[in-house]
Amino acid sequence: LLRSLCLKYCALITDAGLAEVAKLGSLTSLVLSWCRGITDAGLAEIAKIRALQFLDIAGCHQFTDTGLIQIGKLDALESLD
């Protein structure tokens, strides 16, 4: 089972791609820092990964408070950058 995924600086990752990543329900760590194509819709997809404990979205500037509200629903989340 895949538990950690790093897509740091991946200019091609989109919200649609994050819908596929969200299917990896065993992920506990996800690094998306400087993936500038991520929006609120992408964060809503990430919020489906209930096991997620660590999320790095530093340098991502296309989302708003609406997306962060979705991330706030992750009960297992211990670290957010």
Side-chain angles (χ1 to χ4, degrees):
L1 297 173
L2 186 63
R3 297 193 190 281
S4 181
L5 180 61
C6 179
L7 297 171
K8 187 175 186 175
Y9 290 107
C10 183
L12 300 177
I13 192 74
T14 64
D15 295 337
L18 291 178
E20 295 302 313
V21 170
K23 294 177 183 177
L24 302 170
S26 62
L27 280 183
T28 58
S29 176
L30 181 58
V31 177
L32 297 169
S33 53
W34 300 99
C35 295
R36 297 183 181 238
I38 298 171
T39 69
D40 292 335
L43 292 185
E45 293 297 332
I46 292 168
K48 295 176 183 177
I49 309 172
R50 305 310 301 169
L52 202 59
Q53 296 174 353
F54 174 83
L55 177 61
D56 184 347
I57 50 175
C60 301
H61 303 287
Q62 298 299 316
F63 58 84
T64 66
D65 293 344
T66 301
L68 291 176
I69 289 169
Q70 296 300 314
I71 295 300
K73 296 176 183 177
L74 290 169
D75 295 330
L77 195 63
E78 296 175 6
S79 177
L80 174 63
D81 187 1

